[in-house]
Structures are given as structure tokens and as C-alpha cells.
């Protein structure tokens, strides 16, 4: 599954209906043959959860996990809200991005800042699960995209890797187009362009802005002010005829197919496409995104994956069991299950075998937390703002608006939601 799509679901959950006053909690423990029953609500099905639950129950035989999952196409946020307002809140539930989550804003998620296991999370993951300096959940995986390139095509124009800087990348693209007659770089615009996300991440990092786009949402600055530099640089792809403006209609799957068919020399993607790339027969490699002017070196587009949080009203033995579950999910035993599933683990000290093509992005980007995705910092109205951003990017590429107008339109959207 492409994780960049998965993280959007977090925003949908965060934008769920405001919660009604809570019903009284039930008994703090539920008994099953003398065991403490831990109730849990996840987005993953029973098959995915089974190895984790079996390993956890083997480690803690006095705890029984009662897990329920949201339907594949169900409204996960609404299901969770219904359970909470109906007095049947799960002890542990799937959770992501504390800054965007209404449950955090309403005090429904337990503050776990002082729990020792929190220290195991990577810096990016901890930031993802934090708001106002407090940690509300744990996650163990993340994704970062990079530029995949056809080694044979680049060799024909005298290149063996992706250049360090954006200017050099534009020059490489022009050379490929002139000498090989193929599309130099094909991106997809059915979501925030990964190059823009990478540029903004590097820009915020270089300027010490730890809130990123949240500083815009909170009214400290504006889209018009913050995004101009990156949008102007990114739009060179289209203004200098490196990439066709018809990219507006291209999906991630279509961009991949153009690369596999030999019609494009480079694309931007992530680990979710490695199987198809490896089966394509193309001699390919993957590199970090070039460095944009004004930004920290070689940032990428990426985000942490949802993880687990504890309902704030849980007490006693059930609270102890809930904390054990979060701690377990960061243990080597659980992380190995996660790694075996193909996910990229970001927990400190854990080593996993990864596709050799991914090593540079993994070591110099993902593990160092050098990734960024704007919609993870859009606040509780993330879904509406993200939808508007995608639409505005498409208008920009089509030449219907300027970068300045893009910023103005985004600021108007934020104002309309306040």
C-alpha cells in the first residue's frame, strides 16, 4: 500500500464529528479466566494483527487482547467516535499525527510523554506523535520517497547519479530530453507534489521552523509568504519545458508505468513500488531528492505512519496492559514482524534488511528524519486544506494561476475554515 495515501486517512479521522460528552466508563478490568482484557480498535484486519497479538499474549499470559478492526472502506473516524460517545471506548486505538487530531484537542488521548519506551522512537516519529511538547502515541514506521532513475539512460548523457542541487537537476533533465528524446522526469499530481514537500521540509529545517505548515494554520505566517521560493523553483520543470503540463492528469501508477515502459528516465516514488520495479527488468537506482535553494541539503517527501494511543480514561490493570502494548510494539520482537511485512522501521537501534536500491534514502534521509509532508501539519482541518492544495497545484501547473495566487488562494481557504 502506498503510505502517502494512508496518512491522508489520519486527516479524515481528525476531521470527524465533534464528540458528545462521554458516558461513564465501565469497570476498569474485564475478566477472562482471571486475565485482564485489553480492548483495541485498529485499521488493520485480523490477519495482519494476528502475529502481534499472539506474540504479545505469549509474553503477557495474564492479558487477553480483544481486537476489533474497521471495515476496509468504513469511516474509521466515525466508528471510533461512535464507540467513545456510546461509552464503549477501546483501551487502545489506532492513532496518528497528534497535531491534527481532534481526540487530542478534546483531552481523550493519554499523555505518555514520561513513559521510558517513548525514547525509542525516531525523532521524526516522536514529533509526529507529539503536540505542544507532549507525546500521545507511538509509531514504528515511516516512508520517504526518492528519485528513481534508469541507469542506462543517465549513463548515455554522462550521469551516474542524481545531482546534488536543483539547478544541476534541471540541467540533467534538459540534457536527457535533448539527447534521448524521452520524458526526463515524470511526476504525479494527484496529491501534493513530492518535490514541493521535499523543498518545504528543507526550507523549514534550514530556518529552524519546527512547526512547519502549522505555523501558517495558527496564523503566525501565510502560505503566500512561505511557499513562494519552493513553488518558483518547482515550476521551472514546466516553465522551462522539462516536464509536460499534461502531468496534471497523471497518477502515481501511471508515472510508474511510463518509467517501466521506457518513456521516462526518472520518477519520484517510494518502497511501495519496489516489487514492480524489480520485476520490470530495468536496471534502476534510487537517490535522494536534490537540494533546493534556501533549504537544508537533500530533504525528501515523507511521513510517519499511524500507530497506537491510549484512551485517556483507562485506569488500573487495563492501563498497565495498554502501556505494555505500546511498549511491545516498539520491541525488537514486534519490529521484526513489522519489518518482515515490508514496512520501513524507524525505531532507534533496530536494524533491518532493506532493498539495496533504498539504502541511500534510508540511511541519509529516513533514519535521520529528513522528510516532510505538508498535510501532516495542516491541523484539525487537514482534509479540507489538503484537498484544496491539490486542486491549486493542478491549476498552477496548467498555467491558470501564479505561485503568488496559489498562496493567496490557500490563505483564503484557511480563513474560510476558521
Amino acid at each position: 500500500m502506498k503510505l502517502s495515501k494512508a496518512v491522508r486517512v489520519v486527516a479524515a479521522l481528525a476531521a470527524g464529528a465533534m464528540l458528545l460528552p462521554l458516558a461513564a466508563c465501565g469497570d476498569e478490568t474485564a475478566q477472562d479466566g482471571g486475565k485482564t482484557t485489553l480492548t483495541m480498535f485498529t485499521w488493520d484486519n485480523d490477519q495482519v494483527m494476528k502475529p502481534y497479538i499472539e506474540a504479545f499474549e505469549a509474553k503477557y499470559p495474564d492479558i487477553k487482547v480483544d481486537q476489533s478492526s474497521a471495515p476496509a472502506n468504513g469511516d474509521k473516524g466515525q466508528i471510533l467516535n461512535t464507540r467513545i460517545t456510546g461509552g464503549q471506548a477501546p483501551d487502545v486505538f489506532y492513532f496518528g499525527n497528534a497535531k491534527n487530531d481532534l481526540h487530542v484537542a478534546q483531552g481523550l488521548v493519554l499523555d505518555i510523554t514520561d513513559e521510558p519506551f517513548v525514547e525509542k522512537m525516531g525523532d521524526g516519529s516522536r514529533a509526529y506523535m507529539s503536540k505542544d511538547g507532549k507525546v500521545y502515541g507511538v509509531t514504528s514506521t515511516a516512508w520517504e520517497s526518492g528519485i528513481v532513475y534508469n541507469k542506462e539512460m543517465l549513463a548515455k548523457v554522462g550521469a551516474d547519479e542524481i545531482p546534488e542541487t536543483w539547478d544541476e537537476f534541471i540541467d540533467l533533465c534538459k540534457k536527457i530530453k535533448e539527447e534521448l528524446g524521452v520524458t526526463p522526469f515524470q511526476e504525479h499530481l494527484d496529491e501534493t507534489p513530492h518535490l514541493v514537500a521535499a523543498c518545504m521540509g528543507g526550507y523549514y529545517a534550514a530556518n529552524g521552523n519546527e512547526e512547519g505548515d502549522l505555523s501558517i494554520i495558527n496564523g503566525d505566517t501565510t502560505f503566500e509568504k512561505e511557499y513562494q521560493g519552493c513553488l518558483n523553483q518547482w515550476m521551472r520543470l514546466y516553465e522551462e519545458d522539462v516536464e509536460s503540463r499534461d502531468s496534471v492528469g497523471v497518477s502515481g501508477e501511471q508515472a510508474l508505468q511510463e518509467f517501466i515502459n521506457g518513456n521516462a528516465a526518472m520518477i519520484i516514488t517510494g518502497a511501495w513500488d519496489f516489487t514492480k520495479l524489480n520485476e520490470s527488468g530495468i536496471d534502476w537506482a534510487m537517490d535522494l531528492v536534490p537540494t533546493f535553494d534556501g533549504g537544508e541539503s537533500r530533504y525528501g517527501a515523507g511521513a510517519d505512519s499511524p500507530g497506537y494511543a491510549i484512551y485517556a480514561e483507562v485506569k488500573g490493570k487495563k492501563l498497565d496492559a495498554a502501556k505494555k502494548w505500546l511498549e511491545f510494539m516498539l520491541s525488537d520482537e514486534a519490529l521484526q514482524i513489522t519489518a518482515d511485512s515490508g514496512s520501513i522501521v524507524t525505531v532507534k537501534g533496530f536494524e533491518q534488511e532493506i532493498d539495496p536500491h533504498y539504502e541511500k534514502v534510508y540511511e541519509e534521509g529516513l533514519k535521520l528524519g529528513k522528510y516532510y509532508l505538508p498535510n501532516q501539519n495542516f491541523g484539525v482541518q487537514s482534509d479540507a486544506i489538503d484537498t484544496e492544495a491539490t486542486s491549486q497545484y493542478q491549476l498552477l501547473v496548467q498555467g491558470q494561476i501564479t505561485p503568488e495566487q496559489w498562496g493567496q488562494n490557500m490563505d483564503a481557504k484557511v480563513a474560510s475554515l476558521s
Side-chain angles (χ1 to χ4, degrees):
M1 179 182 69
K2 184 178 177 182
L3 293 178
S4 57
K5 300 297 184 185
V7 295
R8 285 186 174 186
V9 180
V10 178
L13 187 156
M18 296 294 286
L19 300 176
L20 300 174
L22 296 179
C25 296
D27 294 337
E28 70 173 32
T29 61
Q31 299 300 320
D32 185 339
K35 298 181 178 181
T36 298
T37 299
L38 177 68
T39 59
M40 183 162 56
F41 177 74
T42 74
W43 296 354
D44 293 316
N45 60 35
D46 293 347
Q47 183 177 359
V48 172
M49 294 302 302
K50 183 178 180 181
Y52 295 104
I53 293 173
E54 288 182 345
F56 178 79
E57 291 181 339
K59 184 173 183 177
Y60 299 106
D62 59 333
I63 302 173
K64 174 181 173 55
V65 177
D66 180 9
Q67 178 248 343
S68 59
S69 304
N73 297 315
D75 187 334
K76 301 170 178 62
Q78 187 56 49
I79 293 171
L80 178 59
N81 288 346
T82 299
R83 290 187 59 176
I84 292 175
T85 58
Q88 296 181 325
D91 304 321
V92 172
F93 51 87
Y94 218 46
F95 173 82
N97 199 349
K99 299 178 185 67
N100 290 1
D101 197 90
L102 276 176
H103 301 115
V104 170
Q106 296 176 343
L108 303 176
V109 185
L110 186 71
D111 175 2
I112 59 169
T113 307
D114 295 330
E115 296 298 327
F117 55 79
V118 165
E119 299 297 328
K120 296 184 65 177
M121 283 192 291
D123 293 341
S125 298
R126 180 165 178 165
Y128 178 68
M129 289 292 184
S130 300
K131 181 179 181 180
D132 298 330
K134 296 181 179 180
V135 183
Y136 292 94
V138 300
T139 183
S140 62
T141 64
W143 64 271
E144 180 176 344
S145 60
I147 295 184
V148 167
Y149 60 95
N150 184 311
K151 294 173 68 175
E152 182 179 352
M153 287 186 181
L154 261 66
K156 287 181 178 179
V157 297
D160 58 6
E161 61 183 359
I162 300 302
E164 288 279 338
T165 70
W166 184 243
D167 285 342
E168 292 171 330
F169 180 74
I170 293 292
D171 289 342
L172 172 62
C173 287
K174 291 178 177 179
K175 196 171 185 179
I176 291 171
K177 186 172 184 178
E178 291 170 0
E179 297 185 16
L180 304 183
V182 301
T183 299
F185 175 73
Q186 180 66 69
E187 65 181 337
H188 57 282
L189 296 174
D190 52 352
E191 60 183 344
T192 293
H194 286 204
L195 288 175
V196 176
C199 183
M200 290 306 300
Y203 165 74
Y204 285 138
N207 288 277
N209 183 346
E210 296 182 358
E211 288 193 323
D213 285 77
L214 197 60
S215 61
I216 299 173
I217 307 305
N218 290 338
D220 298 325
T221 184
T222 64
F223 277 107
E224 183 180 0
K225 176 183 177 181
E226 302 300 333
Y227 269 72
Q228 292 306 296
C230 284
L231 291 180
N232 285 329
Q233 292 183 72
W234 172 63
M235 281 300 294
R236 290 182 61 192
L237 290 171
Y238 302 95
E239 293 168 350
E240 299 181 26
D241 201 28
V242 167
E243 190 172 0
S244 170
R245 293 183 185 269
D246 292 337
S247 293
V248 165
V250 176
S251 67
E253 181 61 33
Q254 289 171 322
L256 173 65
Q257 201 57 51
E258 284 294 286
F259 180 83
I260 290 175
N261 291 341
N263 298 325
M266 298 178 286
I267 58 173
I268 188 164
T269 189
W272 52 87
D273 280 335
F274 285 177
T275 298
K276 291 182 179 179
L277 286 167
N278 286 330
E279 292 173 350
S280 70
I282 293 175
D283 187 10
W284 64 282
M286 188 180 202
D287 205 343
L288 297 162
V289 172
T291 303
F292 292 86
D293 289 344
E296 189 171 309
S297 66
R298 311 207 81 170
Y299 243 73
D304 290 87
S305 305
Y308 294 91
I310 301 173
Y311 179 51
E313 298 297 321
V314 177
K315 296 180 175 63
K317 291 183 178 180
K318 289 173 76 67
L319 177 57
D320 291 339
K323 290 181 179 179
K324 284 183 171 66
W325 174 265
L326 269 61
E327 181 179 28
F328 172 76
M329 291 304 294
L330 298 179
S331 69
D332 285 350
E333 184 175 7
L335 295 177
Q336 191 59 58
I337 297 172
T338 301
D340 290 343
S341 74
S343 296
I344 307 299
V345 174
T346 57
V347 173
K348 295 175 182 177
F350 183 79
E351 300 293 334
Q352 72 179 108
E353 291 186 18
I354 61 171
D355 188 303
H357 296 95
Y358 198 57
E359 285 184 1
K360 187 172 183 179
V361 175
Y362 177 66
E363 293 290 342
E364 299 180 27
L366 191 67
K367 288 180 70 174
L368 300 180
K370 296 183 67 169
Y371 52 86
Y372 183 76
L373 198 66
N375 66 17
Q376 295 302 290
N377 296 275
F378 283 169
V380 296
Q381 297 281 10
S382 177
D383 193 48
I385 298 171
D386 189 40
T387 299
E388 181 70 16
T390 300
S391 175
Q392 293 295 321
Y393 284 122
Q394 293 174 354
L395 292 174
L396 184 56
V397 169
Q398 290 172 334
Q400 297 185 37
I401 60 173
T402 65
E404 183 180 17
Q405 290 170 324
W406 183 96
Q408 292 169 351
N409 293 343
M410 288 300 297
D411 289 329
K413 181 63 177 182
V414 172
S416 74
L417 297 171
S418 61

